[in-house]
């Protein structure tokens, strides 16, 4: 088993002691420790050769174990192969630093050692990580200067007095350097000197004539607090060159772009000479440029980012050309390298994408976002911003003022296609060469807001009262200024048993029956509710309007006559029209309906009756063969129809039975008798009036005078009448029948089954006596003349 590392510190040395292991079998412990790898060891850079880094203790009783160091990364000779010794039956392995170990955390701070342990047939490998920790108190000289052989430099004897010959590179700052070896003349032409920057300078007398001499200089570097190091520097003076080294080109200024990658060629210098080599004398060290030792090509060694390293804008280089075999034969060239800023990076903006959502009621001037953009190539430079519209093209709803994006116009979602989104972009340009731009996409979603309530115009629908169920009366047309404009639902508050409104179309339909006589007008309140017009689906607005439904009258009730059946007895007078009865009809359900048409449709076979409106009139009777001598019964059928504008025209039939009795002078009594109607008819009380003639007094006087004159005339004519009497008595006397005047026209046909009442037997006086007696007086209604008449014979005498 390999136990974990444990370090014990003694004084200023870092010593790592051994770790004891617990008792266990070899294989189990070894496998367990191996699974715990890798191990990490922290070592101070101040540790020197022989320092024990790690101790291993394990059992391997049946075989002789081995512990090997396979390899080290990065490769180095700082580590000795691990030792393995047996002590009290336990094998102890150690890792130590070699004699060449010079740990430097600034150079390499991590080593990884791959170890292999073998015990019989069991072979295990595992890494051991060594981390070199920085020790601020440990400063040492580095390079060949600190090696036992020291550093050897060659200088020509023609070097200028006080010229810099060598630069000593030391860790840290503030070190004091001095030459501790003797520089006594005459061997030394003068003392060499070294300053605080580590520059070794030639003697003030120069080295002319000191060719082939070698000067060994022991240099002491004191870091303070008792810390110091020393090294050897050997200066060989070379004779003056036989030929002169010179550059082919003169000093020049070189301009390069900053976007050159490390290793790019800047310029190539060329010098005349044999086996010329090149090096950079200034600046030292030169972190931005290097020169090819053989070809003289100056190349970049690091990125020339002016934004990160503004001091790289101008670099003054001093290049030395010398012969390889005679380094003292040299020449120097100074030139300036100007690094020009290159516009390589477009502006960077925050946010890089703007997607926002605003309601359509957002006020003008509302700030949507403020963009912050910078130019990586030139921080702090002024950038140009431009707003570009994509969809809809040319929209003016947004406005960019400097870097602030604002709402520029009223956002309206109430027109088709205007409320979906506004796609634009912010174009940001820098002022570099070439011009670099950045485009920031902008997507502004405008959400609808339910601003307006739906409305409809009050309307009036007309419908016949006999319209059937589900009849379409009309449509309620709602309007909403919000988009979409037809997202309206219709309803009736509280419901209606007579009418229904379609929820989507607004169609008004009939559900129940209508009655014009009960209600002519219906008022229906329709509620309109919008939907799908707001981002919030629960946001609704509503309005209402009143619909008036006018019921059109339909003639659906026939007239009714009171009474529907009449029986009358009329005593007629010759040549006189008279009113028989008045037909009284009405529509009980529609008392306002008063216009009726009347016609006799049956029983008026001799056209003795006519209708004057609702009045049944017996036409005036004229002398003639049709004058009834005996009572006669007429059963008249009168058709009563409504005559208004309403359709259809309904009718009913009234029955009037008229007993027509010819008038006689002996009939002077007026009697009233009750007519009983059998069958299913309602009994009707009929008043029968018998007319008789009662002359006026003046008529009696006139009649008396006339009679006297007549007697005188009769006496004169008596003789003549006697001889003609026989002839007159032989001629049979025929009573003159009354003629019916003003016959009724326009009857619509006879009624089948008309039944005549039996004639009443009336005693008749002798015709010879009755014909000479005028027992009645009347006035002709047409001419207005008075006349006398005989009720039995019908004879008339005009007055």
């Amino acid at each position: 088993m390999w136990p974990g590392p444990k370090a014990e510190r003694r004084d200023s040395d870092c010593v790592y002691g051994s770790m004891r292991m617990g008792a266990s079998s070899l294989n189990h412990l070894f496998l367990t420790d191996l699974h715990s790898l890798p191990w990490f060891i922290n070592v101070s850079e101040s540790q020197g050769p022989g320092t024990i880094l790690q101790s291993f203790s394990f059992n391997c009783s049946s075989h002789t174990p081995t512990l090997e160091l396979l390899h080290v990364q990065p490769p180095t000779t700082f580590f000795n192969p691990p030792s393995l010794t047996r002590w009290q039956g336990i094998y102890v392995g150690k890792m130590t630093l070699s004699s060449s170990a010079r740990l430097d955390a600034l150079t390499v701070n991590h080593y990884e050692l791959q170890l292999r342990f073998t015990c019989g047939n069991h072979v295990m490998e595992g890494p051991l990580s060594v981390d070199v920790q920085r020790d601020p108190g440990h400063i040492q000289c580095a390079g060949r200067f600190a090696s036992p052989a020291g550093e050897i430099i060659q200088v020509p004897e023609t070097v200028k007095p006080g010229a810099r010959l060598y630069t000593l590179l030391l860790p840290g700052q503030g070190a004091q350097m001095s030459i501790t070896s003797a520089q006594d003349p005459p061997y030394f032409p003068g003392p060499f000197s070294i300053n605080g920057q580590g520059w070794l300078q030639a003697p003030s007398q120069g080295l002319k004539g000191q060719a082939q001499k070698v000067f060994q200089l022991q240099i002491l570097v004191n870091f303070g607090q008792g810390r110091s190091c020393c090294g050897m520097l050997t200066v060989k003076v070379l004779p003056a060159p036989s030929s002169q080294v010179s550059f082919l080109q003169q000093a020049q200024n070189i301009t390069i772009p900053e976007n050159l990658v490390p290793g790019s060629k800047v310029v190539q210098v060329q010098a005349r000479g044999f086996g010329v080599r090149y090096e950079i004398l200034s600046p030292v060290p030169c972190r931005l440029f290097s020169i090819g030792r053989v070809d003289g090509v100056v190349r970049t060694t690091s990125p020339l980012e002016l934004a990160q390293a503004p001091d790289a804008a101008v670099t003054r280089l001093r290049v030395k050309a010398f012969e390889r075999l005679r380094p003292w034969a040299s020449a120097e060239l100074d030139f300036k390298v100007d690094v020009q800023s290159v516009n390589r990076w477009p502006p960077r903006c925050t946010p890089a994408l703007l997607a926002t959502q605003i309601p359509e009621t957002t006020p003008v001037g509302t700030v949507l976002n403020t963009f912050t953009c910078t130019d990586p190539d030139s921080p702090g430079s002024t950038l140009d911003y431009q707003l570009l519209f994509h969809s809809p093209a040319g929209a003016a709803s947004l406005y960019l003022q400097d870097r602030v994006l604002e709402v520029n116009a009223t956002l309206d979602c109430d027109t088709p296609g205007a409320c979906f989104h506004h796609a634009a972009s912010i174009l940001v340009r820098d002022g570099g060469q070439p011009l670099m731009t950045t485009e920031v996409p902008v997507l502004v979603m405008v959400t609808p807001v339910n601003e307006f309530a739906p409305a409809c115009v009050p309307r009036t629908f007309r419908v016949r009262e006999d319209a059937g169920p589900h009849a379409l009366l009309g449509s309620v047309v709602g309007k909403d200024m919000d988009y979409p404009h037809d997202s309206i639902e219709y309803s009736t508050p509280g419901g209606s048993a007579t009418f229904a409104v379609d929820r989507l179309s607004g169609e008004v339909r009939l559900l129940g029956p209508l009655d014009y006589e009960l209600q002519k007008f219906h008022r229906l309140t329709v509620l309109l509710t919008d939907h799908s017009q707001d981002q919030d689906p629960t946001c609704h607005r509503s309005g209402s309007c009143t619909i008036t439904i006018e019921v059109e009258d339909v003639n659906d009730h026939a007239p009714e006559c009171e009474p529907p059946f009449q029986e009358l007895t009329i005593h007629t007078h010759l040549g006189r029209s008279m009113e028989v009865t008045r037909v009284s009809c009405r529509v009980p359900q529609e008392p306002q309906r008063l216009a009726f048409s009347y016609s006799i449709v049956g029983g008026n076979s001799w056209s003795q009756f006519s209708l004057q409106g609702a009045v049944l009139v017996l036409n005036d009777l004229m002398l003639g063969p049709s004058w009834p001598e005996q009572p006669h019964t007429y059963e008249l059928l009168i058709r009563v129809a409504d005559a208004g504008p309403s359709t259809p025209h309904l009718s009913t039939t009234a029955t009037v039975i008229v007993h027509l009795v010819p008038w006689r002078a002996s009939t002077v009594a007026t009697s009233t008798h009750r007519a009983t109607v059998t069958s299913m008819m309602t009994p009707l009380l009929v008043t029968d009036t018998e007319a008789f003639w009662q002359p006026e007094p003046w008529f009696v006087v006139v009649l008396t005078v006339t009679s006297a004159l007549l007697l005188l005339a009769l006496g004169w004519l008596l003789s003549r009448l006697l001889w003609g009497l026989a002839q007159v008595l032989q001629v049979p006397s025929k009573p003159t029948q009354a003629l019916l005047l003003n016959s009724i026209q326009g009857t619509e046909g006879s009624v089948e089954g008309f039944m005549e009442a039996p004639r009443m037997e009336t005693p008749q006086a002798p015709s010879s006596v009755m014909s000479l007696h005028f027992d009645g007086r009347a006035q002709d209604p047409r001419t207005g003349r008075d006349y006398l008449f005989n009720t039995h014979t019908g004879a008339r005498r005009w007055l």
Side-chain angles (χ1 to χ4, degrees), residues 92 157 226 309 491 538 574 752 791:
V92 178
E157 63 175 347
S491 62
T538 62
L574 184 61
E752 296 181 1
T791 58

Side-chain angles (χ1 to χ4, degrees), residues 647-675:
T647 57
H649 296 290
L650 303 180
S651 64
T652 187
T653 303
T655 303
V656 179
I657 298 177
V658 181
H659 299 288
L660 187 62
V661 179
W663 190 90
R664 291 182 179 86
S666 59
T667 308
V668 296
T670 298
S671 63
T672 302
H673 64 272
R674 191 180 302 272

Side-chain angles (χ1 to χ4, degrees), residues 141-153:
C141 298
R144 288 182 294 177
F145 166 78
S147 65
E151 178 75 26
I152 300 176
I153 63 174

Side-chain angles (χ1 to χ4, degrees), residues 39 55 91 157-158 160 195 207 220 222 241 252 440 513 537 563:
W39 299 325
S55 297
Y91 288 93
E157 63 175 347
T158 57
K160 296 179 181 180
N195 59 14
L207 297 177
L220 175 64
N222 190 358
Q252 57 183 339
V440 180

Side-chain angles (χ1 to χ4, degrees), residues 163-183:
R164 184 176 59 179
L165 306 180
Y166 180 79
T167 300
L168 180 64
L169 298 180
L170 297 174
Q173 296 180 355
Q176 295 181 356
M177 290 165 282
S178 60
I179 300 176
T180 60
S181 60
Q183 302 185 65

